Amino acid sequence: MRVGVLCSTKWGTLDMVAQLTTGERQLAIVVLSLVALLGLAMAAAGRADPIGVHGFIVLAICCGLIFVVLGAYYAPEPSPERLEHYYDDPSKVGIVLTMAWAVVGMFLGVWVASLLAWPDLTFDAAWASFGRLRPAHTSAVIFGFGGNALIATSFHVLQRTSRARLPDQFSPWFVLIGYNLFCVVAATGYFMGVTQSKEYAEPEWYADIWLVVVWVTYFAIYIRTLARRKEPHIYVANWYYMAFILVVAILHIVNNLAVPVSFGHAKSYSVFSGVQDAMVQWWYGHNAVAFFLTAGFLGMMYYYLPKRAGRPIYSYRLSIISFWGITFMYMWAGSHHLLYTALPQWVQTLGMTFSLILLVPSWASAGNALATLNGAWHKVRDDATLRFMMAAAVFYGLTTFEGSFLAIRPVNSLSHYTDWTVGHVHAGALGWVALITFGSIYCIVPWLWKRERMYSARLVEVHFWLAIIGTVIYVFAMWNSGIIQGLMWRTYNENGTLTYSFVESMVAMHPYYIARAFGGLLFLMGAIVGSYNIWMTIRGEAEVAPESADLPEPRLASAPGE
Amino acid sequence: MNFDHDTVVGFTKSWGLFYLIAMAVGVLIYVFWPSNLERFHAAKKNILDEDDKPWK
Ligand code: HEM
């Protein structure tokens, strides 16, 4: 599937391969062959086990990519002139993949939302049961959509702010393609029932090990580029991106420590058990929110928002304080996911306290972003791209306020296990993560493909409103349903027994679930409109000859109406 | 020193607190150090340059 996406793009996969030096082409073939062999070994050892199926998938993808590289293997060496420019091919492919995963992941989201309203939509098929589709949805949007967006933009921002080209042309491809291979293995695994039952860390041991290899390479690219930087000061966005990469590596390795049943089996057992297991999982889970869904996207915000607005960030010092505030404090907040459990009381209190303090650096970032726009509101009004980023900052402020509130023990006793959590998640995931991503993508696409502007400013506007209305409907539906649920579960009658049965609370949810599915559908439609617009922009004619200059044009940053 | 639950808790509650405060103070000193101000000003302005090529 991925191979198809790569090959059919108009700007030409072969041109991209031809940009690699002969040495890099050879390295690509060697590495792909080795991974293909690994796939073959998995297929042989796994046989009927799901790991065997995964072996074949890995084998097929690697063989496909080998053909892609061979297709341009004898192309002439790239000109040394390329070193005068930044290396953006991986970012371009990363953006296309981001949008592909957005559509797939959000479609799965609308499906699982509909399943809760109309349970028959599972069609009696095991692979389409809620328990399998849900992680496919969460992984596709968080890791597929979010992760690709982070990788693609981080390479872009890193080079611009360091004034240095990426250190080589092979490792960024290894990271991008290796990461997507992980995502494909994860998603296909869920459909087969493969999971280690840790939320947001469902993939099994072999996928986890692969991700470690990819992630270490990713971090190395960052360090190597920074080592070559010509701009002495490391811009704050890079700190956020680096915190994202480094902390995710630590979290991923620790939380996934497990012993496989055998090398031929997908199944493994975690080395942790009981309450320690729960604590490690939510230390991971909450910091995945903090460093995957927040830090990296803050990096995006601190670069693209000032760029687009044509104004420097309001307070650079505040951005540094909030950076260290977030990094120090998020680490301790995970236990708010385990209030009223067997976890020691003091650990719960610690998590609650840090969650409250976290509001300070969180609002410092949101406020910094909004203060940057102060004085440029006419641009926000006229330019939907900038408005995407403004709305994202607002939702970021809203979600973090809500998060700190939900972490208070008595509030959590009402909200926990209810749809309120789901409402909070989506205020964050749709309102913050997705909006900042779309805003950044609408900035970066014309810059990277050397177009004067997006294919259609109207469609950006349409996307903006679909996204906003969808998010608002979604979040309000879940707030209502969550609070009603919470109240119904704790209402007692005069005999001291529960007034409502569980089934009654489910019946009461039905209208909200329909509303939520509708809100999600609007959001999905927005993503489809966005993908079309991006596609047409890519297919359009370049305004400037590619060799001349690496944009961005000053006009783009300030021109209203686009 | 035996590595039991109480030891770990004691360590966390004391040093855990102090090192966080120490790091926070460190960051504040760095941020407000007068001679750094110019560097921060340059940093936030520089990204707005339209020059989009690696420097030599
Ligand atoms: C100050 C910042 C934040 C705090 C203190 C916070 C706190 C919380 C709390 C207390 C819960 C509910 C735990 C439970 O009852 O099970 C939660 C859930 C969640 N939050 Fe936040 N939150 C914050 C920001 C964010 C942001 C920006 C996002 C971005 C998407 C986010 C995504 C999530 C997710 C995905 C969950 C669901 C976890 C699960 O699956 O149970 N949070 N958060």
Side-chain angles (χ1 to χ4, degrees):
Chain A
M1 179 184 86
R2 299 266 73 83
V3 183
V5 173
L6 293 182
C7 291
S8 58
T9 44
K10 169 117 186 281
W11 70 85
T13 320
L14 295 186
D15 290 348
M16 290 195 174
V17 178
Q19 272 298 305
L20 302 178
T21 62
T22 309
E24 284 164 342
R25 291 173 210 166
Q26 286 164 346
L27 184 60
I29 291 179
V30 170
V31 170
L32 283 168
S33 311
L34 288 177
V35 181
L37 280 179
L38 212 63
L40 190 65
M42 279 162 66
R47 277 175 262 166
D49 190 86
I51 197 177
V53 180
H54 273 152
F56 280 116
I57 292 177
V58 172
L59 184 65
I61 292 180
C62 289
C63 290
L65 288 170
I66 290 177
F67 279 110
V68 172
V69 178
L70 284 179
Y73 185 78
Y74 293 107
E77 281 271 319
S79 94
E81 204 261 340
R82 72 183 190 288
L83 301 176
E84 308 279 306
H85 301 273
Y86 295 125
Y87 188 47
D88 290 328
D89 288 352
S91 295
K92 290 181 177 178
V93 174
I95 283 164
V96 173
L97 289 170
T98 302
M99 295 310 292
W101 279 108
V103 172
V104 172
M106 290 169 196
F107 169 76
L108 286 168
V110 176
W111 189 353
V112 285
S114 311
L115 263 179
L116 289 173
W118 304 284
D120 285 340
L121 290 174
T122 189
F123 309 120
D124 274 339
W127 66 268
S129 55
F130 184 83
R132 295 189 188 184
L133 287 182
R134 183 192 184 272
H137 158 64
T138 52
S139 291
V141 289
I142 299 176
F143 299 116
F145 167 61
N148 274 300
L150 288 169
I151 293 176
T153 57
S154 69
F155 289 156
H156 180 255
V157 172
L158 171 64
Q159 298 183 91
R160 268 66 187 181
T161 52
S162 313
R163 314 283 182 175
R165 188 180 154 94
L166 293 176
D168 72 303
Q169 302 184 119
F170 172 76
S171 51
W173 287 114
F174 179 79
V175 170
L176 184 73
I177 295 174
Y179 180 75
N180 280 280
L181 184 63
F182 165 80
C183 293
V184 168
V185 167
T188 49
Y190 306 146
F191 291 123
M192 294 187 283
V194 176
T195 173
Q196 56 178 4
S197 330
K198 281 178 170 257
E199 204 177 0
Y200 314 124
E202 292 91 348
E204 273 290 357
W205 61 276
Y206 48 98
D208 292 338
I209 294 176
W210 174 248
L211 187 61
V212 173
V213 176
V214 170
W215 218 250
V216 170
T217 316
Y218 188 18
F219 193 61
I221 292 180
Y222 238 85
I223 298 296
R224 286 161 65 210
T225 310
L226 285 176
R228 297 155 44 93
R229 75 184 186 279
K230 294 290 186 307
E231 160 68 57
H233 182 79
I234 302 178
Y235 185 65
V236 67
N238 284 324
W239 290 99
Y240 280 100
Y241 278 119
M242 267 197 298
F244 144 66
I245 304 172
L246 186 65
V247 176
V248 167
I250 299 171
L251 300 170
H252 172 75
I253 292 173
V254 174
N255 190 40
N256 287 303
L257 288 175
V259 183
V261 172
S262 84
F263 286 123
H265 275 84
K267 181 96 198 96
S268 68
Y269 289 91
S270 173
V271 300
F272 305 106
S273 61
V275 75
Q276 279 84 0
D277 185 35
M279 186 63 250
V280 171
Q281 157 60 23
W282 284 108
W283 167 76
Y284 164 89
H286 190 72
N287 286 303
V289 168
F291 290 90
F292 207 102
L293 294 176
T294 299
F297 291 93
L298 282 172
M300 234 183 241
M301 183 185 86
Y302 277 115
Y303 184 77
Y304 294 103
L305 186 132
K307 252 339 231 188
R308 184 73 182 190
R311 305 160 65 85
I313 192 78
Y314 170 70
S315 166
Y316 196 76
R317 294 199 279 199
L318 189 57
S319 74
I320 302 180
I321 298 180
S322 20
F323 170 77
W324 288 107
I326 282 184
T327 350
F328 292 162
M329 284 184 287
Y330 254 118
M331 280 289 166
W332 301 96
S335 56
H336 67 217
H337 290 266
L338 298 168
L339 301 178
Y340 299 102
T341 63
L343 198 71
Q345 186 79 358
W346 72 269
V347 185
Q348 299 183 23
T349 309
L350 184 80
M352 174 177 129
T353 314
F354 271 99
S355 305
L356 287 170
I357 313 175
L358 253 177
L359 189 59
V360 177
S362 305
W363 272 29
S365 286
N368 211 348
L370 294 176
T372 302
L373 296 175
N374 204 9
W377 294 112
H378 60 286
K379 288 187 191 167
V380 178
R381 182 194 60 208
D382 296 336
D383 178 6
T385 303
L386 195 55
R387 217 179 311 128
F388 261 111
M389 296 196 251
M390 190 275 302
V394 171
F395 271 106
Y396 179 63
L398 198 92
T399 309
T400 48
F401 177 78
E402 184 183 32
S404 299
F405 184 60
L406 290 177
I408 301 171
R409 220 187 252 111
V411 179
N412 199 261
S413 77
L414 176 67
S415 74
H416 193 62
Y417 302 123
T418 72
D419 289 329
W420 191 350
T421 305
V422 182
H424 163 69
V425 171
H426 287 83
L430 304 181
W432 158 238
V433 170
L435 293 192
I436 193 73
T437 303
F438 290 137
S440 304
I441 287 185
Y442 285 130
C443 286
I444 200 181
V445 164
W447 293 343
L448 286 186
W449 274 275
K450 327 266 187 238
R451 306 292 184 261
E452 206 184 336
R453 59 172 65 85
M454 288 298 298
Y455 165 72
S456 160
R458 253 265 172 71
L459 289 182
V460 179
E461 196 72 46
V462 170
H463 183 184
F464 176 80
W465 288 109
L466 283 171
I468 292 289
I469 298 172
T471 307
V472 170
I473 293 180
Y474 191 119
V475 172
F476 271 92
M478 290 297 97
W479 278 340
N480 276 298
S481 115
I483 292 173
I484 292 176
Q485 245 177 347
L487 292 176
M488 286 177 90
W489 293 343
R490 57 158 63 170
T491 306
Y492 293 87
N493 57 28
E494 58 282 17
N495 302 327
T497 57
L498 284 172
T499 308
Y500 303 101
S501 68
F502 185 73
V503 171
E504 280 171 312
S505 76
M506 285 185 57
V507 173
M509 293 310 100
H510 191 64
Y512 300 110
Y513 285 170
I514 295 175
R516 184 254 302 267
F518 179 65
L521 182 66
L522 294 184
F523 204 88
L524 167 67
M525 282 161 49
I528 294 174
V529 169
S531 305
Y532 171 75
N533 200 359
I534 291 168
W535 193 248
M536 295 308 285
T537 310
I538 297 175
R539 290 190 40 170
E541 290 305 315
E543 288 284 324
V544 193
E547 307 83 46
S548 65
D550 275 1
L551 293 198
E553 285 295 326
R555 273 166 297 135
L556 267 179
S558 52
E562 194 289 300
Chain B
M1 186 179 99
N2 61 343
F3 192 70
D4 59 10
H5 180 73
D6 289 336
T7 323
V8 178
V9 171
F11 181 78
T12 316
K13 287 185 179 175
S14 54
W15 289 106
L17 179 66
F18 293 134
Y19 93 80
L20 265 181
I21 293 178
M23 289 197 294
V25 170
V27 169
L28 288 175
I29 292 177
Y30 168 70
V31 165
F32 288 105
W33 199 263
S35 62
N36 281 342
L37 189 59
E38 207 169 316
R39 181 150 19 125
F40 296 153
H41 268 303
K44 70 176 184 179
K45 293 249 161 54
N46 283 350
I47 63 153
L48 299 178
D49 283 1
E50 297 306 335
D51 149 45
D52 200 39
K53 281 185 181 179
W55 288 351
K56 295 243 162 56

